[in-house]
Amino acid sequence: MDNSLKGLILAAGTIITCIVISLGFYISREARDTAASGAGQISKLNAEFNESDKVMYDGLSVSGSEVINVINKFKNGDIAIQVNTKKCSTYYDNVLDDKQTEIIGTSSSSVKSAQNSQSNAYINPNGQFLGSIIRDVNYTIIGIIFSQVN
Protein backbone atom coordinates (compact mmCIF):
# COMPACT_ATOMS: atom_id res chain seq x y z
CA MET A 1 0.00 0.00 0.00
CA ASP A 2 2.88 2.34 0.72
CA ASN A 3 4.32 1.85 -2.76
CA SER A 4 0.99 2.50 -4.51
CA LEU A 5 0.41 5.65 -2.42
CA LYS A 6 3.90 6.93 -3.24
CA GLY A 7 3.24 6.18 -6.94
CA LEU A 8 -0.02 8.15 -6.89
CA ILE A 9 1.66 11.09 -5.12
CA LEU A 10 4.49 11.03 -7.68
CA ALA A 11 1.99 10.90 -10.59
CA ALA A 12 -0.07 13.75 -9.11
CA GLY A 13 3.08 15.81 -8.57
CA THR A 14 4.17 15.21 -12.17
CA ILE A 15 0.74 16.22 -13.53
CA ILE A 16 0.64 19.36 -11.38
CA THR A 17 4.18 20.27 -12.50
CA CYS A 18 3.19 19.87 -16.17
CA ILE A 19 0.10 22.04 -15.65
CA VAL A 20 2.13 24.76 -13.92
CA ILE A 21 4.75 24.76 -16.71
CA SER A 22 2.03 24.88 -19.40
CA LEU A 23 0.38 27.82 -17.64
CA GLY A 24 3.74 29.57 -17.45
CA PHE A 25 4.28 29.21 -21.20
CA TYR A 26 0.71 30.37 -21.92
CA ILE A 27 1.07 33.45 -19.71
CA SER A 28 4.44 34.38 -21.21
CA ARG A 29 3.04 34.07 -24.76
CA GLU A 30 0.05 36.26 -23.86
CA ALA A 31 2.33 38.80 -22.17
CA ARG A 32 4.55 38.95 -25.26
CA ASP A 33 1.53 39.56 -27.54
CA THR A 34 0.18 42.21 -25.18
CA ALA A 35 3.57 43.93 -25.00
CA ALA A 36 3.86 43.95 -28.80
CA SER A 37 0.37 45.40 -29.11
CA GLY A 38 1.16 48.05 -26.50
CA ALA A 39 4.39 48.99 -28.26
CA GLY A 40 2.48 49.40 -31.52
CA GLN A 41 -0.08 51.66 -29.85
CA ILE A 42 2.65 53.75 -28.24
CA SER A 43 4.34 54.15 -31.63
CA LYS A 44 1.04 55.24 -33.19
CA LEU A 45 0.36 57.73 -30.39
CA ASN A 46 3.89 59.11 -30.73
CA ALA A 47 3.37 59.67 -34.47
CA GLU A 48 0.02 61.39 -33.81
CA PHE A 49 1.60 63.57 -31.14
CA ASN A 50 4.42 64.60 -33.50
CA GLU A 51 1.85 65.63 -36.13
CA SER A 52 -0.67 67.19 -33.75
CA ASP A 53 0.33 70.75 -34.64
CA LYS A 54 -0.65 70.07 -38.27
CA VAL A 55 -3.47 67.56 -37.90
CA MET A 56 -5.46 69.95 -35.73
CA TYR A 57 -6.33 71.99 -38.86
CA ASP A 58 -7.87 69.02 -40.69
CA GLY A 59 -11.58 69.80 -41.03
CA LEU A 60 -11.28 72.86 -38.79
CA SER A 61 -12.84 76.18 -39.74
CA VAL A 62 -10.47 79.04 -38.92
CA SER A 63 -10.34 82.78 -39.53
CA GLY A 64 -8.10 84.41 -42.10
CA SER A 65 -5.91 85.84 -39.35
CA GLU A 66 -5.31 82.30 -38.05
CA VAL A 67 -4.37 81.22 -41.59
CA ILE A 68 -1.73 83.97 -41.66
CA ASN A 69 -0.50 82.77 -38.24
CA VAL A 70 -0.20 79.21 -39.61
CA ILE A 71 1.79 80.48 -42.61
CA ASN A 72 4.17 82.25 -40.24
CA LYS A 73 4.33 79.25 -37.89
CA PHE A 74 5.40 76.80 -40.59
CA LYS A 75 7.56 79.26 -42.50
CA ASN A 76 10.78 77.57 -43.63
CA GLY A 77 9.30 74.22 -42.69
CA ASP A 78 8.92 71.03 -44.65
CA ILE A 79 5.27 71.44 -45.66
CA ALA A 80 3.42 73.41 -48.31
CA ILE A 81 0.55 75.68 -47.34
CA GLN A 82 -2.02 76.39 -50.01
CA VAL A 83 -4.62 79.11 -49.49
CA ASN A 84 -7.64 79.14 -51.81
CA THR A 85 -9.43 82.48 -51.60
CA LYS A 86 -12.35 83.64 -53.75
CA LYS A 87 -9.80 85.42 -55.98
CA CYS A 88 -6.97 82.91 -56.40
CA SER A 89 -5.03 79.95 -55.10
CA THR A 90 -1.57 80.60 -53.61
CA TYR A 91 1.16 78.40 -52.17
CA TYR A 92 3.34 79.61 -49.30
CA ASP A 93 6.82 78.31 -48.46
CA ASN A 94 6.71 75.14 -50.61
CA VAL A 95 4.79 74.10 -53.74
CA LEU A 96 3.11 70.74 -54.38
CA ASP A 97 2.88 68.99 -57.74
CA ASP A 98 -0.43 68.89 -59.66
CA LYS A 99 -1.46 65.60 -58.05
CA GLN A 100 -0.51 66.95 -54.59
CA THR A 101 1.69 63.93 -53.87
CA GLU A 102 5.08 65.60 -53.40
CA ILE A 103 6.80 68.92 -52.81
CA ILE A 104 8.41 70.14 -56.04
CA GLY A 105 9.89 73.48 -55.03
CA THR A 106 9.64 76.66 -53.04
CA SER A 107 7.07 79.40 -53.42
CA SER A 108 7.85 83.03 -54.04
CA SER A 109 4.67 84.21 -52.29
CA SER A 110 5.07 86.07 -49.04
CA VAL A 111 2.95 86.85 -46.02
CA LYS A 112 3.21 90.54 -46.93
CA SER A 113 1.26 89.94 -50.15
CA ALA A 114 -1.32 87.97 -48.16
CA GLN A 115 -1.80 90.99 -45.91
CA ASN A 116 -1.95 93.55 -48.74
CA SER A 117 -5.61 94.20 -49.58
CA GLN A 118 -4.67 95.22 -53.15
CA SER A 119 -3.03 91.85 -53.88
CA ASN A 120 -4.85 88.92 -55.51
CA ALA A 121 -3.34 86.72 -52.77
CA TYR A 122 -4.97 88.85 -50.03
CA ILE A 123 -6.28 86.82 -47.10
CA ASN A 124 -9.19 88.55 -45.43
CA PRO A 125 -8.51 88.32 -41.67
CA ASN A 126 -12.27 88.11 -41.03
CA GLY A 127 -12.92 85.45 -43.67
CA GLN A 128 -13.57 81.83 -42.75
CA PHE A 129 -11.36 79.07 -44.12
CA LEU A 130 -11.74 75.31 -43.93
CA GLY A 131 -8.48 73.43 -43.41
CA SER A 132 -7.44 70.04 -44.71
CA ILE A 133 -4.15 68.16 -44.70
CA ILE A 134 -2.34 66.49 -47.59
CA ARG A 135 -0.28 63.32 -47.10
CA ASP A 136 2.20 61.69 -49.46
CA VAL A 137 2.48 57.98 -50.30
CA ASN A 138 4.37 57.37 -47.03
CA TYR A 139 1.46 58.92 -45.11
CA THR A 140 3.64 61.89 -44.13
CA ILE A 141 1.97 65.29 -43.95
CA ILE A 142 3.33 67.41 -46.81
CA GLY A 143 0.74 70.16 -46.97
CA ILE A 144 -2.16 72.05 -45.47
CA ILE A 145 -4.89 73.54 -47.64
CA PHE A 146 -7.12 76.36 -46.45
CA SER A 147 -10.17 77.04 -48.62
CA GLN A 148 -12.28 80.14 -48.10
CA VAL A 149 -15.89 79.30 -47.31
CA ASN A 150 -17.23 82.87 -47.03
Side-chain angles (χ1 to χ4, degrees), residues 44-114:
K44 183 179 176 184
L45 286 173
N46 189 27
E48 288 176 6
F49 180 72
N50 287 338
E51 295 179 339
S52 65
D53 59 339
K54 298 171 190 119
V55 173
M56 67 182 276
Y57 296 107
D58 194 26
L60 184 67
S61 180
V62 296
S63 67
S65 60
E66 179 64 22
V67 171
I68 292 172
N69 289 338
V70 171
I71 294 169
N72 286 324
K73 178 180 179 182
F74 294 114
K75 184 172 35 176
N76 301 322
D78 56 351
I79 66 169
I81 298 174
Q82 180 183 10
V83 180
N84 300 321
T85 63
K86 300 291 183 182
K87 286 186 178 180
C88 72
S89 177
T90 308
Y91 279 103
Y92 295 92
D93 202 29
N94 292 309
V95 178
L96 296 175
D97 64 354
D98 291 336
K99 296 179 183 177
Q100 295 183 331
T101 56
E102 65 180 335
I103 295 174
I104 58 172
T106 58
S107 172
S108 61
S109 299
S110 68
V111 176
K112 290 187 183 212
S113 65

Side-chain angles (χ1 to χ4, degrees), residues 61-64 85-86 124 126-130 147-150:
S61 180
V62 296
S63 67
T85 63
K86 300 291 183 182
N124 182 354
N126 298 320
Q128 289 296 309
F129 293 81
L130 183 63
S147 300
Q148 188 171 8
V149 291
N150 71 357

